[in-house]
Amino acid sequence: MRNRVPRVHGRRRLRVHATPTGALVVLALVVSMAVAPQVADPRMAGFVWAAVLGMLLVGVLWPLITLLALRLEDGSSSAGSTRPVRAGTATEVRLRVGSRLSEVAVRWSRSPTVVDVAPGPVTGVGVPITPLRRGEYRRLRVRVSCDAPFGIVEVTRTEVIELEQPLVVGPFAVRSGEVRDPDGGVMGDLVASAIGHGGDTVRSVRPYVAGDPAHLVHWPSTARTGSLVVRELEPPAERAVAVVVDLGPAATTSAGGTGPGASAGPAPATRSFEPISPMAQDEEQEIPGEVVAVRAAEVVSVLSARGVRVLLCTAEPAPVVGEVSDEFAVLRRLARATRGTPGTAPPGWSIIRLVPEVERG
Protein backbone atom coordinates (compact mmCIF):
# COMPACT_ATOMS: atom_id res chain seq x y z
CA MET A 1 0.00 0.00 0.00
CA ARG A 2 1.45 3.37 -1.00
CA ASN A 3 1.92 6.08 1.56
CA ARG A 4 -0.59 8.80 1.04
CA VAL A 5 0.87 12.29 0.54
CA PRO A 6 -0.84 14.86 2.77
CA ARG A 7 -2.83 17.33 0.72
CA VAL A 8 -3.77 20.92 1.33
CA HIS A 9 -7.37 21.83 0.57
CA GLY A 10 -8.29 25.32 -0.56
CA ARG A 11 -6.35 28.50 -1.34
CA ARG A 12 -4.08 30.35 1.03
CA ARG A 13 -5.28 33.72 2.22
CA LEU A 14 -2.89 36.34 3.56
CA ARG A 15 -3.90 39.39 5.54
CA VAL A 16 -1.62 42.17 6.69
CA HIS A 17 -2.55 44.68 9.38
CA ALA A 18 -0.63 47.05 11.57
CA THR A 19 -0.11 46.19 15.22
CA PRO A 20 -0.64 48.84 17.94
CA THR A 21 3.15 49.18 18.10
CA GLY A 22 3.36 49.65 14.35
CA ALA A 23 0.62 52.26 14.35
CA LEU A 24 2.44 54.24 17.05
CA VAL A 25 5.75 54.05 15.13
CA VAL A 26 4.17 55.32 11.93
CA LEU A 27 2.38 58.09 13.79
CA ALA A 28 5.63 59.12 15.49
CA LEU A 29 7.44 59.23 12.15
CA VAL A 30 4.76 61.38 10.54
CA VAL A 31 4.81 63.82 13.44
CA SER A 32 8.62 63.93 13.45
CA MET A 33 8.76 64.71 9.75
CA ALA A 34 6.19 67.47 10.14
CA VAL A 35 7.77 69.28 13.09
CA ALA A 36 11.48 68.35 12.89
CA PRO A 37 13.80 71.39 12.63
CA GLN A 38 16.34 71.75 9.88
CA VAL A 39 19.36 69.51 10.45
CA ALA A 40 22.79 71.01 9.94
CA ASP A 41 23.99 67.94 8.04
CA PRO A 42 21.42 66.82 5.41
CA ARG A 43 23.46 63.70 4.72
CA MET A 44 23.09 62.59 8.34
CA ALA A 45 19.36 63.23 8.21
CA GLY A 46 19.10 61.21 5.03
CA PHE A 47 21.01 58.35 6.63
CA VAL A 48 18.68 58.34 9.66
CA TRP A 49 15.53 58.39 7.54
CA ALA A 50 16.90 55.63 5.28
CA ALA A 51 17.56 53.47 8.35
CA VAL A 52 14.07 54.07 9.69
CA LEU A 53 12.41 53.32 6.35
CA GLY A 54 14.58 50.21 5.99
CA MET A 55 13.43 49.00 9.39
CA LEU A 56 9.81 49.56 8.37
CA LEU A 57 10.37 47.71 5.12
CA VAL A 58 11.95 44.73 6.88
CA GLY A 59 9.23 44.80 9.53
CA VAL A 60 6.59 44.47 6.81
CA LEU A 61 8.30 42.07 4.41
CA TRP A 62 9.86 39.63 6.89
CA PRO A 63 6.63 38.21 8.39
CA LEU A 64 5.14 38.11 4.89
CA ILE A 65 8.05 36.04 3.56
CA THR A 66 7.96 33.85 6.68
CA LEU A 67 4.34 32.84 6.08
CA LEU A 68 4.77 32.43 2.32
CA ALA A 69 7.65 30.00 2.95
CA LEU A 70 5.80 28.18 5.74
CA ARG A 71 4.69 24.58 5.12
CA LEU A 72 1.59 23.16 6.80
CA GLU A 73 0.81 19.45 6.56
CA ASP A 74 -1.40 16.93 8.29
CA GLY A 75 0.60 15.13 10.97
CA SER A 76 -1.96 12.60 12.18
CA SER A 77 -0.21 9.68 10.45
CA SER A 78 2.88 10.12 12.63
CA ALA A 79 0.71 10.28 15.76
CA GLY A 80 -0.98 6.92 15.12
CA SER A 81 -4.68 6.21 14.85
CA THR A 82 -6.99 8.75 16.45
CA ARG A 83 -9.68 7.70 18.88
CA PRO A 84 -13.21 9.04 18.70
CA VAL A 85 -14.13 11.89 21.03
CA ARG A 86 -17.43 13.28 22.22
CA ALA A 87 -18.83 16.59 21.05
CA GLY A 88 -17.88 19.36 23.43
CA THR A 89 -14.67 17.58 24.47
CA ALA A 90 -11.36 19.38 24.05
CA THR A 91 -8.87 17.49 21.90
CA GLU A 92 -6.14 18.28 19.37
CA VAL A 93 -5.27 17.68 15.74
CA ARG A 94 -1.64 17.01 14.88
CA LEU A 95 -0.01 19.15 12.18
CA ARG A 96 3.50 19.38 10.78
CA VAL A 97 4.82 22.94 10.53
CA GLY A 98 8.04 23.56 8.62
CA SER A 99 10.35 26.19 7.11
CA ARG A 100 9.86 28.71 9.90
CA LEU A 101 12.12 31.75 9.51
CA SER A 102 10.65 33.25 12.68
CA GLU A 103 8.32 32.28 15.49
CA VAL A 104 4.72 31.77 14.34
CA ALA A 105 1.44 31.29 16.19
CA VAL A 106 -0.91 28.51 15.02
CA ARG A 107 -4.56 28.14 16.01
CA TRP A 108 -7.84 26.62 14.88
CA SER A 109 -9.85 29.29 13.09
CA ARG A 110 -12.71 29.01 15.59
CA SER A 111 -10.62 29.12 18.75
CA PRO A 112 -8.61 31.92 20.40
CA THR A 113 -6.11 29.41 21.83
CA VAL A 114 -2.79 29.68 19.98
CA VAL A 115 0.27 27.45 19.90
CA ASP A 116 3.59 29.26 19.51
CA VAL A 117 6.09 27.48 17.25
CA ALA A 118 9.73 28.54 17.41
CA PRO A 119 11.91 29.04 14.31
CA GLY A 120 13.45 25.92 12.86
CA PRO A 121 12.86 22.86 10.68
CA VAL A 122 9.71 20.75 10.42
CA THR A 123 8.12 19.98 13.77
CA GLY A 124 4.91 18.38 15.02
CA VAL A 125 2.30 20.60 16.64
CA GLY A 126 -0.94 19.73 18.40
CA VAL A 127 -3.62 22.30 17.53
CA PRO A 128 -6.28 22.48 20.29
CA ILE A 129 -9.87 22.15 19.10
CA THR A 130 -13.27 21.60 20.70
CA PRO A 131 -15.73 20.24 18.11
CA LEU A 132 -19.31 21.05 19.04
CA ARG A 133 -21.09 18.85 16.51
CA ARG A 134 -21.20 15.15 15.86
CA GLY A 135 -19.66 13.84 12.65
CA GLU A 136 -16.50 12.78 10.85
CA TYR A 137 -14.26 15.80 10.36
CA ARG A 138 -11.95 15.59 7.37
CA ARG A 139 -10.74 19.19 7.03
CA LEU A 140 -9.23 21.66 9.45
CA ARG A 141 -9.08 25.41 8.91
CA VAL A 142 -6.11 26.93 10.70
CA ARG A 143 -4.70 30.42 10.99
CA VAL A 144 -1.00 31.10 11.27
CA SER A 145 0.27 34.55 12.23
CA CYS A 146 3.67 36.21 12.51
CA ASP A 147 4.76 39.73 13.57
CA ALA A 148 8.53 39.19 13.70
CA PRO A 149 11.02 40.76 13.88
CA PHE A 150 9.86 44.18 15.12
CA GLY A 151 6.13 43.71 15.81
CA ILE A 152 5.20 46.49 13.40
CA VAL A 153 2.71 44.50 11.33
CA GLU A 154 1.06 41.12 11.81
CA VAL A 155 0.57 38.86 8.82
CA THR A 156 -2.07 36.14 9.07
CA ARG A 157 -2.38 33.17 6.75
CA THR A 158 -5.54 31.06 6.65
CA GLU A 159 -5.46 27.59 5.15
CA VAL A 160 -7.78 24.59 5.01
CA ILE A 161 -5.92 21.29 5.42
CA GLU A 162 -7.34 17.92 4.44
CA LEU A 163 -6.81 15.37 7.19
CA GLU A 164 -5.45 11.94 6.35
CA GLN A 165 -7.28 10.38 9.29
CA PRO A 166 -10.67 11.98 9.95
CA LEU A 167 -11.44 13.02 13.48
CA VAL A 168 -14.49 11.07 14.66
CA VAL A 169 -16.78 13.05 16.97
CA GLY A 170 -19.64 11.26 18.70
CA PRO A 171 -22.68 12.80 20.44
CA PHE A 172 -22.57 14.72 23.70
CA ALA A 173 -22.53 12.69 26.92
CA VAL A 174 -25.92 13.45 28.50
CA ARG A 175 -28.03 11.64 31.10
CA SER A 176 -31.56 12.58 30.14
CA GLY A 177 -33.73 9.90 31.75
CA GLU A 178 -34.34 6.26 32.60
CA VAL A 179 -33.51 3.50 30.14
CA ARG A 180 -35.82 0.51 30.20
CA ASP A 181 -34.54 -3.06 30.12
CA PRO A 182 -35.20 -5.15 27.03
CA ASP A 183 -38.34 -7.25 27.19
CA GLY A 184 -36.52 -10.59 27.02
CA GLY A 185 -35.95 -11.05 23.30
CA VAL A 186 -32.52 -12.62 23.06
CA MET A 187 -32.46 -14.32 19.71
CA GLY A 188 -30.79 -13.63 16.44
CA ASP A 189 -27.73 -14.97 14.67
CA LEU A 190 -25.39 -13.07 17.01
CA VAL A 191 -26.73 -14.67 20.21
CA ALA A 192 -25.88 -18.34 20.64
CA SER A 193 -27.13 -19.08 24.14
CA ALA A 194 -30.28 -21.10 24.81
CA ILE A 195 -33.79 -19.63 24.97
CA GLY A 196 -36.30 -19.53 27.74
CA HIS A 197 -34.22 -20.50 30.77
CA GLY A 198 -32.97 -18.37 33.60
CA GLY A 199 -30.05 -20.36 34.91
CA ASP A 200 -32.07 -23.07 36.75
CA THR A 201 -32.30 -25.70 33.99
CA VAL A 202 -30.22 -28.85 34.68
CA ARG A 203 -27.82 -29.59 31.87
CA SER A 204 -26.05 -32.63 33.38
CA VAL A 205 -24.56 -34.01 36.60
CA ARG A 206 -20.92 -34.45 37.56
CA PRO A 207 -18.81 -35.56 40.56
CA TYR A 208 -18.60 -33.14 43.45
CA VAL A 209 -15.59 -30.78 43.50
CA ALA A 210 -14.46 -28.98 46.64
CA GLY A 211 -16.13 -25.59 46.71
CA ASP A 212 -19.36 -26.60 44.95
CA PRO A 213 -22.45 -25.14 46.71
CA ALA A 214 -24.34 -27.65 48.85
CA HIS A 215 -27.68 -26.80 47.23
CA LEU A 216 -26.37 -28.18 43.90
CA VAL A 217 -25.94 -31.70 45.27
CA HIS A 218 -28.11 -34.10 43.27
CA TRP A 219 -29.23 -36.52 46.02
CA PRO A 220 -30.86 -39.21 43.85
CA SER A 221 -27.65 -39.68 41.86
CA THR A 222 -25.58 -39.44 45.05
CA ALA A 223 -27.64 -42.24 46.66
CA ARG A 224 -27.40 -44.38 43.54
CA THR A 225 -23.64 -44.04 43.03
CA GLY A 226 -22.57 -43.74 46.66
CA SER A 227 -20.54 -40.57 46.00
CA LEU A 228 -21.46 -36.94 45.95
CA VAL A 229 -22.81 -35.75 42.60
CA VAL A 230 -23.77 -32.17 41.78
CA ARG A 231 -25.96 -30.65 39.12
CA GLU A 232 -24.59 -28.53 36.25
CA LEU A 233 -27.03 -25.79 35.32
CA GLU A 234 -27.51 -24.03 32.03
CA PRO A 235 -26.11 -20.52 32.17
CA PRO A 236 -28.65 -17.68 32.17
CA ALA A 237 -29.81 -16.60 28.75
CA GLU A 238 -28.05 -13.48 27.48
CA ARG A 239 -30.11 -10.35 27.29
CA ALA A 240 -29.86 -8.50 24.02
CA VAL A 241 -31.51 -5.49 22.44
CA ALA A 242 -31.41 -3.78 19.08
CA VAL A 243 -31.27 0.01 19.29
CA VAL A 244 -32.70 1.50 16.11
CA VAL A 245 -31.49 5.08 15.58
CA ASP A 246 -33.84 6.88 13.20
CA LEU A 247 -32.68 10.47 12.66
CA GLY A 248 -35.49 11.19 10.23
CA PRO A 249 -36.04 10.88 6.48
CA ALA A 250 -33.11 11.51 4.17
CA ALA A 251 -32.81 15.04 2.83
CA THR A 252 -32.85 15.47 -0.93
CA THR A 253 -31.22 17.94 -3.26
CA SER A 254 -31.46 18.67 -6.94
CA ALA A 255 -29.21 16.85 -9.36
CA GLY A 256 -25.61 17.93 -9.10
CA GLY A 257 -26.06 19.44 -5.63
CA THR A 258 -23.57 19.14 -2.86
CA GLY A 259 -25.87 19.23 0.15
CA PRO A 260 -27.14 16.35 2.27
CA GLY A 261 -28.58 13.57 0.16
CA ALA A 262 -26.76 14.51 -3.05
CA SER A 263 -25.77 11.32 -4.81
CA ALA A 264 -22.33 12.57 -5.76
CA GLY A 265 -21.61 14.54 -2.61
CA PRO A 266 -20.08 13.51 0.72
CA ALA A 267 -22.08 11.75 3.41
CA PRO A 268 -23.97 14.25 5.57
CA ALA A 269 -21.97 13.18 8.62
CA THR A 270 -18.71 14.19 6.92
CA ARG A 271 -17.86 17.68 8.08
CA SER A 272 -15.23 20.35 8.07
CA PHE A 273 -13.71 22.50 10.77
CA GLU A 274 -14.69 25.61 8.87
CA PRO A 275 -16.73 28.62 10.05
CA ILE A 276 -19.61 27.45 7.87
CA SER A 277 -20.35 23.75 8.22
CA PRO A 278 -21.46 21.80 5.13
CA MET A 279 -24.51 20.94 7.24
CA ALA A 280 -25.43 24.56 8.02
CA GLN A 281 -28.09 24.63 5.32
CA ASP A 282 -29.85 21.75 7.09
CA GLU A 283 -29.20 22.98 10.64
CA GLU A 284 -32.81 23.38 11.76
CA GLN A 285 -33.85 19.99 10.40
CA GLU A 286 -30.92 18.33 12.17
CA ILE A 287 -31.69 19.51 15.70
CA PRO A 288 -34.28 16.78 16.50
CA GLY A 289 -31.99 14.17 14.95
CA GLU A 290 -29.04 15.30 17.08
CA VAL A 291 -31.17 14.84 20.20
CA VAL A 292 -31.86 11.28 19.04
CA ALA A 293 -28.13 10.63 18.55
CA VAL A 294 -27.39 11.88 22.08
CA ARG A 295 -30.16 9.69 23.49
CA ALA A 296 -28.89 6.68 21.55
CA ALA A 297 -25.42 7.06 23.07
CA GLU A 298 -26.97 7.15 26.54
CA VAL A 299 -29.18 4.11 25.91
CA VAL A 300 -26.30 2.01 24.57
CA SER A 301 -24.04 3.04 27.47
CA VAL A 302 -26.63 2.16 30.13
CA LEU A 303 -27.58 -1.17 28.54
CA SER A 304 -23.94 -2.20 28.09
CA ALA A 305 -23.26 -1.41 31.75
CA ARG A 306 -26.09 -3.78 32.67
CA GLY A 307 -24.52 -6.61 30.68
CA VAL A 308 -26.96 -6.35 27.76
CA ARG A 309 -25.69 -7.07 24.27
CA VAL A 310 -26.50 -4.18 21.95
CA LEU A 311 -27.11 -4.27 18.23
CA LEU A 312 -26.99 -0.79 16.71
CA CYS A 313 -29.10 -0.08 13.63
CA THR A 314 -28.32 3.16 11.79
CA ALA A 315 -28.22 4.84 8.38
CA GLU A 316 -24.65 5.76 7.33
CA PRO A 317 -26.25 6.70 4.83
CA ALA A 318 -26.89 3.10 3.71
CA PRO A 319 -28.62 0.91 6.34
CA VAL A 320 -26.07 -0.59 8.75
CA VAL A 321 -26.62 -3.23 11.45
CA GLY A 322 -23.87 -4.33 13.79
CA GLU A 323 -23.12 -5.23 17.39
CA VAL A 324 -21.21 -2.63 19.40
CA SER A 325 -19.00 -3.84 22.22
CA ASP A 326 -17.25 -0.73 23.53
CA GLU A 327 -17.66 3.04 23.79
CA PHE A 328 -15.35 3.80 20.88
CA ALA A 329 -17.34 1.57 18.54
CA VAL A 330 -20.54 3.33 19.63
CA LEU A 331 -19.06 6.79 19.03
CA ARG A 332 -17.79 5.81 15.58
CA ARG A 333 -21.17 4.43 14.53
CA LEU A 334 -23.13 7.40 15.85
CA ALA A 335 -20.65 9.88 14.36
CA ARG A 336 -21.34 8.40 10.92
CA ALA A 337 -25.09 8.08 11.44
CA THR A 338 -27.17 10.33 9.24
CA ARG A 339 -30.74 10.87 8.17
CA GLY A 340 -32.22 8.00 6.18
CA THR A 341 -33.62 4.50 6.65
CA PRO A 342 -31.76 2.67 9.44
CA GLY A 343 -30.86 -1.00 9.29
CA THR A 344 -33.48 -3.58 10.24
CA ALA A 345 -32.99 -5.61 13.41
CA PRO A 346 -32.96 -9.41 12.89
CA PRO A 347 -35.93 -11.45 14.19
CA GLY A 348 -35.98 -12.30 17.89
CA TRP A 349 -34.20 -9.22 19.20
CA SER A 350 -35.84 -6.79 21.57
CA ILE A 351 -36.09 -3.40 19.88
CA ILE A 352 -35.74 0.11 21.26
CA ARG A 353 -36.54 2.54 18.46
CA LEU A 354 -35.41 6.14 18.86
CA VAL A 355 -37.00 8.77 16.61
CA PRO A 356 -37.17 12.59 16.68
CA GLU A 357 -39.93 13.87 18.97
CA VAL A 358 -41.39 16.00 16.20
CA GLU A 359 -41.98 12.90 14.06
CA ARG A 360 -43.81 10.80 16.64
CA GLY A 361 -47.48 10.26 16.02
Side-chain angles (χ1 to χ4, degrees):
M1 182 177 179
R2 295 183 302 173
N3 293 330
R4 186 180 171 191
V5 178
R7 293 181 294 166
V8 176
H9 181 84
R11 296 184 301 173
R12 301 173 180 175
R13 296 192 301 175
L14 290 175
R15 293 182 179 177
V16 182
H17 61 86
T19 64
T21 300
L24 289 176
V25 170
V26 173
L27 180 61
L29 287 175
V30 172
V31 172
S32 299
M33 294 178 68
V35 301
Q38 292 293 327
V39 179
D41 188 353
R43 289 180 300 177
M44 180 61 66
F47 176 78
V48 172
W49 287 114
V52 171
L53 292 177
M55 183 185 72
L56 288 176
L57 188 62
V58 172
V60 172
L61 292 180
W62 187 262
L64 189 62
I65 295 173
T66 296
L67 291 194
L68 286 175
L70 188 74
R71 296 206 320 270
L72 284 174
E73 299 175 349
D74 172 35
S76 59
S77 58
S78 59
S81 59
T82 57
R83 288 187 169 185
V85 297
R86 288 189 180 273
T89 302
T91 183
E92 66 177 30
V93 173
R94 300 294 301 179
L95 297 180
R96 288 169 57 82
V97 185
S99 301
R100 302 177 309 283
L101 303 178
S102 300
E103 181 179 282
V104 296
V106 185
R107 68 180 179 90
W108 176 36
S109 62
R110 304 183 69 178
S111 170
T113 304
V114 300
V115 178
D116 293 323
V117 187
V122 177
T123 186
V125 174
V127 179
I129 59 173
T130 305
L132 298 179
R133 300 193 61 205
R134 174 184 62 86
E136 275 193 321
Y137 290 83
R138 299 181 179 274
R139 292 182 295 275
L140 178 73
R141 174 174 287 183
V142 295
R143 288 178 182 167
V144 188
S145 58
C146 177
D147 62 0
F150 305 125
I152 297 174
V153 299
E154 182 180 58
V155 181
T156 302
R157 169 177 157 187
T158 302
E159 193 163 321
V160 180
I161 300 174
E162 184 172 333
L163 303 178
E164 251 186 89
Q165 298 183 18
L167 179 66
V168 180
V169 181
F172 284 95
V174 176
R175 289 292 178 262
S176 58
E178 293 295 325
V179 178
R180 67 176 177 85
D181 271 329
D183 57 13
V186 294
M187 290 307 95
D189 294 337
L190 297 179
V191 179
S193 57
I195 311 173
H197 59 78
D200 56 359
T201 303
V202 178
R203 180 169 60 187
S204 63
V205 293
R206 60 172 175 78
Y208 174 84
V209 176
D212 285 336
H215 71 274
L216 291 182
V217 174
H218 192 253
W219 294 110
S221 299
T222 298
R224 185 173 64 255
T225 60
S227 60
L228 285 176
V229 175
V230 296
R231 296 170 292 167
E232 278 196 328
L233 303 180
E234 291 284 359
E238 286 189 278
R239 295 183 300 163
V241 62
V243 178
V244 180
V245 183
D246 189 345
L247 302 182
T252 58
T253 59
S254 58
T258 58
S263 59
T270 300
R271 297 181 179 153
S272 165
F273 285 105
E274 300 185 34
I276 300 179
S277 166
M279 296 296 291
Q281 59 187 337
D282 201 35
E283 191 82 26
E284 292 184 0
Q285 295 181 357
E286 268 204 298
I287 292 175
E290 293 308 306
V291 174
V292 170
V294 171
R295 177 62 174 166
E298 176 190 17
V299 169
V300 174
S301 175
V302 172
L303 292 177
S304 298
R306 295 175 183 171
V308 179
R309 300 182 69 174
V310 179
L311 194 69
L312 197 57
C313 306
T314 58
E316 302 181 17
V320 177
V321 178
E323 189 172 359
V324 287
S325 57
D326 56 59
E327 180 185 14
F328 294 136
V330 175
L331 293 182
R332 286 188 184 279
R333 290 286 308 280
L334 292 179
R336 296 168 181 165
T338 185
R339 296 161 61 91
T341 303
T344 302
W349 285 71
S350 298
I351 296 177
I352 296 179
R353 188 176 188 87
L354 302 175
V355 299
E357 293 288 341
V358 295
E359 297 183 9
R360 289 183 177 176

